[in-house]
Amino acid sequence: MTKRILLLAMALVLALPAIVRTQPNANFSGTWTLGKIEPPPTGRGGIGGGGDEAFGAIAQTVVIAQTGRDLTFQSGSMKAVYTLDGNTTVTPPGDVSGLKTRAHWEGAKLHLHYKRGQNWCRDVLSVNGNTLTILRDLESGGGSTTRTITYTKTS
């Protein structure tokens, strides 16, 4: 009896990584319209953040295109491409001041890291039906903010 329990436990330990790996990743593709921001932004950090070009600006519309290998995230007029393999991409290539992007999965959540100059941001994306939730951590100019931004899928 003890041998059976031990063999079953060993089989479960060996099978668990395969079970975890086979869980499908979420698909964030679509056009998303702003719903709610918590806490509400004030001043320059508001919607559009002083213009769509502002670092970490919260756009009214987000467009995401996702394939098995990469993800394109367009927020207002800002566009970033991420490889979904955890490697860092620099745009334009070789530019020390260029946009640096990196993405990795944590369960069904996708972490998008981006850095430009001394500014950095991490967006943690999760989807539930037609609702996209982005937990955004932003550091810029010596200050930092964390916001929860929700979007509704429109297409």
Side-chain angles (χ1 to χ4, degrees):
M1 178 83 162
T2 306
K3 281 187 176 181
R4 286 185 189 166
I5 293 172
L6 182 60
L7 286 172
L8 180 60
M10 286 178 56
L12 286 172
V13 167
L14 293 173
L16 187 60
I19 293 168
V20 170
R21 274 193 303 267
T22 60
Q23 292 177 347
N25 291 326
N27 189 334
F28 298 99
S29 295
T31 301
W32 304 86
T33 303
L34 183 63
K36 182 169 75 169
I37 306 167
E38 292 293 330
T42 59
R44 191 170 190 277
I47 298 171
D52 284 339
E53 298 301 323
F55 185 79
I58 300 170
Q60 289 287 337
T61 303
V62 169
V63 179
I64 301 173
Q66 180 179 345
T67 66
R69 233 184 75 114
D70 58 21
L71 179 137
T72 302
F73 187 93
Q74 182 162 352
S75 176
S77 63
M78 297 296 287
K79 188 178 199 179
V81 178
Y82 297 83
T83 59
L84 299 177
D85 58 8
N87 291 322
T88 299
T89 303
V90 180
T91 307
D95 184 350
V96 295
S97 299
L99 176 65
K100 295 166 185 70
T101 60
R102 182 175 61 87
H104 64 91
W105 292 98
E106 190 173 294
K109 294 182 179 182
L110 181 61
H111 291 237
L112 302 179
H113 302 265
Y114 56 96
K115 183 177 191 290
R116 176 172 280 149
Q118 296 300 312
N119 302 316
W120 71 267
C121 185
R122 178 188 67 171
D123 287 344
V124 179
L125 280 62
S126 60
V127 66
N128 185 4
N130 286 334
T131 301
L132 169 68
T133 301
I134 300 175
L135 177 63
R136 176 168 289 169
D137 295 321
L138 174 67
E139 277 195 27
S140 179
S144 65
T145 60
T146 299
R147 299 211 188 294
T148 301
I149 310 161
T150 57
Y151 288 88
T152 303
K153 191 169 192 175
T154 55
S155 65

